[in-house]
Amino acid sequence: MSFIMTVEERQQFLAGPHVGVLSVASGDGRGPLAVPVWYDYRDGGQVSVVTGRSSRKALAIRASGRMTLCAQDENPPYRYVSVEGPVVLEELDPGERLAMARRYLGTERGDQYVASNPDPDRENVMFRMRPEHWVGVDFGKGLG
């Protein structure tokens, strides 16, 4: 029995609002930087992550040019999808920032989050990763 997700299953799973763990080579003689993040993904598209322009995470991503994101369901039967690929940096559209907050917090709380965390200096940026390598596992497959 295989627990490996199909292409469709892993894309559908990744499109859900899971908190992901972003990993990137830190380049400072330490292990990779691994931090929880909100992300966005649409089937067949790119993984998008918002972060501060001068954050440790952003500096490491720019230096490496690649990142990995792992999203999981921590409830049994466990499932996860991990994707890795090259990254491009884009200026952040404020509408995308609001959409990301609403994705994770709902409309009202997402609006409150953005209003209480303004970005007048446009410190936040968007990293977009084109997945090249995928791993998707669903330990519930085959359980009746």
Side-chain angles (χ1 to χ4, degrees):
M1 165 186 322
S2 175
F3 298 115
I4 303 300
M5 289 183 183
T6 66
V7 170
E8 295 79 20
E9 289 169 336
R10 67 187 188 203
Q11 287 191 16
Q12 182 180 14
F13 180 84
L14 193 60
H18 307 281
V19 172
V21 175
L22 181 144
S23 297
V24 61
S26 62
D28 56 7
R30 296 167 45 186
L33 174 66
V35 293
V37 294
W38 291 350
Y39 71 91
D40 188 40
Y41 175 78
R42 290 184 177 64
D43 287 358
Q46 297 178 330
V47 174
S48 301
V49 174
V50 176
T51 192
R53 183 181 310 273
S54 58
S55 68
R56 182 173 174 221
K57 179 176 19 178
L59 296 175
I61 293 170
R62 281 200 305 266
S64 172
R66 303 182 75 80
M67 71 180 195
T68 299
L69 181 102
C70 182
Q72 70 170 359
D73 181 351
E74 65 276 357
N75 298 304
Y78 308 107
R79 299 178 298 159
Y80 72 88
V81 169
S82 181
V83 291
E84 185 269 335
V87 178
V88 296
L89 169 70
E90 295 180 3
E91 292 301 315
L92 180 61
D93 175 333
E96 284 190 278
R97 181 172 181 245
L98 178 60
M100 184 86 68
R102 288 176 172 176
R103 169 179 161 87
Y104 283 91
L105 300 174
T107 302
E108 184 177 337
R109 292 184 71 203
D111 291 352
Q112 290 172 351
Y113 173 83
V114 170
S116 66
N117 293 287
D119 187 18
D121 298 329
R122 306 215 20 131
E123 167 63 17
N124 288 300
V125 293
M126 179 76 79
F127 284 99
R128 297 198 196 275
M129 182 251 290
R130 181 178 38 85
E132 288 183 340
H133 305 285
W134 291 76
V135 176
V137 175
D138 179 349
F139 291 107
K141 281 188 158 193
L143 299 179

